[in-house]
């Protein structure tokens, strides 16, 4: 099977080299990434190779002397998908795009999300696991209680795993049960001895109402031991180790990369503040504007308003 290939094209060698240097020094992506600054070298590559995703500068594709050449790429069977790269005002008429001037990590997060959604890749469709996230713009108690209720919802296909990474969730004391191991143990087993993850999971979860709960961090920074680009692999490994069909992920602000968590989830339940509270409404709008400004309409489409009564249905 040929290796999945992502190609980035921009007429700026500085930008392309910076992009490739970041990937080489920081990430271990599950696909090949190559860069081009000339349409002729890209065409030469396409004559004998397939590009699964072409990240193409919108300015080069529409305004340069070679614009006609770039338009031909849409009819080229060697290019499976084109994602436009540019500034916000340049992308108004595009449907598949990434903002150019943001952190390289944010760009790569979006590319990894696109890769995972591509049919035929090892991580496509999250291995069939239904992953739901719960986030809050107010006090964490409501978020944790809602996430626990959501885990017990009859609408979720069992078995269900509820992952609680909040260091001070209070769940073990609330439920009157403590396990010998914790989420921290699962993290370090995944890193050092992944074949033993099933055994560790058995000793780490506590059960409540038919739901397995994995919580407890020995150290405040333990979640950071797994690079955010690997969180999807970690969640899928937990699902495989425990045979889970559904996973509910509580998302506290203390996590090192919230956007990576949002990328994982098929739905995100947003626990807002009190209805009619002007500050709560302002926070909701600010939350939406943040993702709109980053070209992340896909995240906003996942949002659901947390309703405690519906969560229990």
């Amino acid at each position: 099977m040929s290796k999945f290939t992502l190609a980035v094209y921009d007429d700026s060698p500085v930008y392309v080299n910076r992009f490739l240097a970041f990937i080489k020094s920081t990430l271990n992506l599950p696909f090949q990434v190559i860069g081009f600054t000339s349409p002729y070298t890209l065409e030469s590559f396409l004559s004998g190779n397939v590009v699964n995703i072409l990240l193409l500068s919108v300015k080069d594709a529409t305004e340069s002397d070679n614009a006609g050449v770039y338009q031909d790429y849409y009819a080229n069977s060697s290019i499976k998908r084109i994602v436009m790269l540019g500034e916000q005002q340049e992308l108004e008429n595009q449907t598949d795009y990434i903002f150019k001037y943001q952190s390289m990590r944010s760009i790569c997060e979006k590319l990894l999300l696109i890769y995972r959604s591509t049919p035929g890749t090892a991580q496509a469709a999250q291995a069939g696991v239904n992953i739901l996230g719960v986030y809050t713009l107010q006090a964490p108690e409501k978020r944790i209680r809602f996430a626990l209720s959501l885990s017990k919802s009859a609408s979720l296909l069992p078995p269900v795993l509820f992952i609680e990474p909040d260091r001070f969730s209070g769940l073990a004391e609330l439920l009157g049960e403590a396990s010998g191991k914790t989420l921290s143990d699962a993290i370090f087993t995944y890193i050092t001895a992944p074949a033993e993850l099933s055994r560790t999971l058995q000793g780490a979860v506590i059960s409540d109402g038919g739901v397995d709960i994995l919580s407890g961090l020995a150290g405040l920074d333990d979640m950071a031991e797994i690079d955010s680009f690997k969180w999807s692999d970690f969640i899928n490994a937990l699902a495989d180790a425990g045979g889970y069909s559904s996973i509910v992920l509580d998302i506290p602000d203390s996590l090192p990369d919230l956007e990576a968590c949002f990328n994982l989830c098929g739905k995100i339940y947003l626990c807002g503040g009190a209805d009619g509270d002007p500050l709560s409404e302002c926070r909701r709008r600010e939350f939406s504007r943040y993702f709109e400004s980053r070209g992340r309409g896909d995240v906003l489409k996942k949002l659901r308003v947390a309703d405690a009564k519906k969560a229990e249905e």
Side-chain angles (χ1 to χ4, degrees), residues 29-287:
L29 295 178
F31 49 81
Q32 174 181 232
V33 182
I34 50 179
F36 298 95
T37 57
S38 162
Y40 307 109
T41 54
L42 177 54
E43 286 180 7
S44 176
F45 180 83
L46 291 171
S47 65
N49 301 276
V50 170
V51 168
N52 300 91
I53 300 173
L54 174 61
L55 188 58
L56 177 62
S57 166
V58 67
K59 184 171 293 186
D60 292 318
T62 57
E63 300 178 12
S64 73
D65 294 336
N66 297 304
V69 175
Y70 301 121
Q71 293 305 313
D72 291 341
Y73 290 158
Y74 285 93
N76 193 320
S77 60
S78 295
I79 302 175
K80 303 304 180 184
R81 181 173 180 177
I82 296 178
V83 178
M84 303 307 293
L85 180 69
E87 298 182 55
Q88 186 170 1
Q89 63 270 22
E90 299 172 325
L91 298 167
E92 292 179 351
N93 298 320
Q94 303 296 327
T95 57
D96 209 0
Y97 61 85
I98 294 177
F99 290 154
K100 181 176 183 179
Y101 296 108
Q102 57 179 316
S103 71
M104 286 296 175
R105 176 169 286 274
S106 295
I107 291 175
C108 289
E109 281 281 6
K110 183 70 179 291
L111 289 173
L112 197 56
L113 184 63
I114 292 172
Y115 166 77
R116 289 174 179 145
S117 66
T118 302
T121 63
Q123 298 177 344
Q126 293 293 338
V129 179
N130 182 24
I131 302 177
L132 308 177
V134 179
Y135 182 68
T136 188
L137 294 175
Q138 63 168 30
E141 290 81 7
K142 183 176 181 180
R143 184 198 73 231
I144 295 172
R145 287 187 178 278
F146 176 83
L148 184 58
S149 296
L150 180 63
S151 301
K152 299 176 182 179
S153 170
S155 64
L156 294 186
L157 183 65
V160 179
L161 176 66
F162 171 34
I163 302 175
E164 176 53 79
D166 194 315
R167 175 65 179 85
F168 306 109
S169 71
L171 279 178
E173 182 175 344
L174 178 68
L175 299 174
E177 184 178 353
S179 59
K181 297 182 182 298
T182 65
L183 175 57
S184 289
D185 292 292
I187 290 170
F188 288 106
T189 300
Y190 168 74
I191 294 172
T192 61
E196 297 296 318
L197 188 56
S198 180
R199 185 189 301 274
T200 298
L201 197 57
Q202 290 176 15
V205 299
I206 57 178
S207 295
D208 180 65
V211 173
D212 282 353
I213 301 172
L214 180 61
S215 66
L217 293 175
L220 292 175
D221 298 325
D222 283 357
M223 283 297 293
E225 293 294 327
I226 300 177
D227 189 284
S228 59
F229 286 92
K230 295 292 185 180
W231 285 1
S232 176
D233 294 337
F234 175 55
I235 297 297
N236 277 325
L238 290 174
D240 290 341
Y244 298 107
S245 298
S246 302
I247 290 179
V248 174
L249 175 64
D250 188 25
I251 306 176
D253 272 325
S254 58
L255 289 182
D257 195 334
L258 292 177
E259 203 162 333
C261 289
F262 295 148
N263 289 342
L264 289 175
C265 303
K267 295 178 182 178
I268 303 166
Y269 290 86
L270 183 62
C271 298
D275 292 336
D277 181 356
L279 180 57
S280 295
E281 295 301 323
C282 290
R283 296 189 72 190
R284 288 191 188 104
R285 288 193 292 270
E286 190 170 314
F287 180 90

Side-chain angles (χ1 to χ4, degrees), residues 17-33:
N17 290 334
R18 178 170 168 255
F19 185 90
L20 297 177
F22 174 81
I23 290 176
K24 182 177 180 180
S25 63
T26 310
L27 307 176
N28 182 23
L29 295 178
F31 49 81
Q32 174 181 232
V33 182

